[in-house]
Amino acid sequence: MKILSNSCCLIILLLFVSGAVQIKADYCTCTNYNSQCYYKQLPCPAECPSENPSDRKAKVCYIDCKSPMCTPVCRTRKPNCNTPGAACLDPRFIGADGTVFYFHGKSNEHFSLVSDLNLQINARFIGLRPAGRSRDYTWIQALGILFGSHSFSVEAIKAATWEDEIDHLKFSYNGKELAIPETYPSLWLSAQNDLKVQRTSRKNSVLVTLPGVAEISVNVVPVTREDDRIHNYQIPSDDCFAHLEVQFKFYDLSTRVEGVLGRTYQPDFKNPAKQGVAMPVVGGENKYRTTSLLSTDCGSCVFSPVGVHNKDESLVMDFGLLDCTAGANSGNGIVCRK
């Protein structure tokens, strides 16, 4: 057997550090500390052999931490707007029960999407009201997240026209602007390791993780000319209305969880959205309106800055990343249940 010289070993080490040499990852790990799968290393499926593939278009290996078998599965990096926990378009939500509904809110105002004892997620809506319309067309422009004594926000930057090669995302942590390098993959961790932000492409897409609490997949997109033509939004020439597509996955919600989307995770929730209509709209603007992106002053908000709740109240509700796109269970206003 040949023994490598010290200089050869140093060269190999430098190549690994620089990323020029990579070991193919074929195992993935659950990082939800509330799961029985926590930190178990399990083999990835052949279709997605890595948690962080070099090809950003490839699917990633992911463990469903709530599965009794801790089964690794494949998933896309960007939000799936047709599964429970999604908030996309103008804006269209899919509740925990799989029901599709719309909440229009009002342009330039803020609303609580999720309010729980240890988590608050607000959204800023942008929009416009063409002549002759009785309400605003709206989109989600920013998310404000409060957890413990910390805050984080992610926003879509206003742009006159859309360019794929420009990053339209802006971040802040505890009130200070946060710079995340435009590389893939690029990872930022808070000092307490209670917040992780990872770019899922070089620009315009991130995965926000609060370990043991939630995962939030975020993508920023414009209102396209085709969207404008179909819906007659009457988008002006100086604003493409860049907005967020979002998909939430929650790990530990209490039975008291509230918010436009959060209330659908209550164990006895009955969705007021009308079944069978093309665009079932729900109200509640006054209940869910907050005074700012990082406020917890809505009429139904239950968030506590301490973030400590009685475990007897806790209800780990997990509806997974249910995919309702494969059959008749998908579509406007049709329930896809798990």
Side-chain angles (χ1 to χ4, degrees):
M1 177 185 290
K2 274 192 173 182
I3 304 298
L4 293 175
S5 68
N6 288 340
S7 60
C8 287
C9 290
L10 178 60
I11 290 170
I12 293 172
L13 177 61
L14 289 173
L15 286 171
F16 273 110
V17 170
S18 68
V21 176
Q22 295 182 348
I23 296 177
K24 182 181 179 182
D26 56 358
Y27 288 86
C28 59
T29 307
C30 169
T31 56
N32 176 13
Y33 52 74
N34 292 322
S35 171
Q36 63 184 7
C37 315
Y38 181 58
Y39 264 101
K40 284 185 178 178
Q41 285 195 325
L42 297 167
C44 294
E47 311 86 72
C48 54
S50 174
E51 286 185 289
N52 292 293
S54 56
D55 180 0
R56 62 180 182 272
K57 294 182 180 179
K59 289 187 176 181
V60 298
C61 178
Y62 172 80
I63 293 180
D64 181 356
C65 297
K66 298 297 184 182
S67 168
M69 303 301 292
C70 304
T71 307
V73 295
C74 297
R75 71 171 182 180
T76 58
R77 301 164 195 269
K78 294 184 179 180
N80 185 337
C81 292
N82 296 306
T83 59
C88 303
L89 304 174
D90 56 346
R92 185 188 75 166
F93 294 86
I94 303 184
D97 59 356
T99 299
V100 175
F101 65 94
Y102 290 77
F103 176 85
H104 297 298
K106 193 174 181 182
S107 177
N108 300 316
E109 291 192 355
H110 305 85
F111 298 92
S112 167
L113 301 188
V114 178
S115 183
D116 205 2
L117 302 171
N118 63 343
L119 176 67
Q120 177 87 17
I121 303 174
N122 296 335
R124 178 189 297 129
F125 285 22
I126 54 170
L128 76 168
R129 183 181 300 190
R133 294 287 301 179
S134 60
R135 62 166 179 81
D136 295 344
Y137 286 119
T138 54
W139 296 270
I140 295 174
Q141 181 267 335
L143 293 179
I145 303 169
L146 295 103
F147 56 102
S149 60
H150 303 290
S151 66
F152 172 78
S153 70
V154 53
E155 306 178 35
I157 300 171
K158 182 177 179 178
T161 57
W162 180 264
E163 294 185 44
D164 287 333
E165 289 308 307
I166 292 178
D167 188 46
H168 297 80
L169 285 171
K170 179 182 178 181
F171 310 95
S172 75
Y173 178 65
N174 290 340
K176 296 182 179 178
E177 190 166 338
L178 176 65
I180 300 179
E182 295 176 22
T183 58
Y184 170 79
S186 182
L187 175 66
W188 178 87
L189 279 169
S190 64
Q192 295 81 15
N193 292 325
D194 54 359
L195 175 66
K196 178 171 73 171
V197 184
Q198 182 178 17
R199 286 196 184 267
T200 49
S201 63
R202 289 188 303 110
K203 305 174 192 296
N204 299 318
S205 301
V206 292
L207 179 66
V208 179
T209 304
L210 293 99
V213 179
E215 284 184 354
I216 308 168
S217 183
V218 179
N219 190 39
V220 58
V221 295
V223 175
T224 66
R225 290 184 180 179
E226 182 64 9
D227 290 336
D228 189 21
R229 183 190 66 79
I230 293 172
H231 300 286
N232 192 29
Y233 292 134
Q234 300 179 42
I235 299 296
S237 60
D238 62 347
D239 192 346
C240 68
F241 280 86
H243 61 279
L244 304 180
E245 296 177 329
V246 187
Q247 184 180 20
F248 299 96
K249 182 175 177 64
F250 301 107
Y251 294 110
D252 186 18
L253 295 175
S254 79
T255 56
R256 292 175 56 190
V257 62
E258 263 291 354
V260 174
L261 179 65
R263 60 181 170 168
T264 70
Y265 288 83
Q266 295 172 1
D268 56 352
F269 175 72
K270 291 182 175 58
N271 205 312
K274 277 191 176 181
Q275 300 296 309
V277 300
M279 291 184 64
V281 178
V282 301
E285 285 87 348
N286 292 334
K287 286 179 61 178
Y288 303 118
R289 183 181 286 107
T290 63
T291 54
S292 71
L293 188 63
L294 296 172
S295 295
T296 61
D297 55 359
C298 75
S300 64
C301 289
V302 299
F303 175 74
S304 166
V306 177
V308 177
H309 60 274
N310 188 335
K311 283 296 180 184
D312 293 337
E313 291 183 332
S314 179
L315 177 67
V316 179
M317 301 279 290
D318 180 53
F319 293 83
L321 293 177
L322 182 62
D323 186 353
C324 297
T325 61
N329 286 336
S330 63
N332 291 333
I334 298 177
V335 178
C336 175
R337 297 186 181 279
K338 182 177 178 181

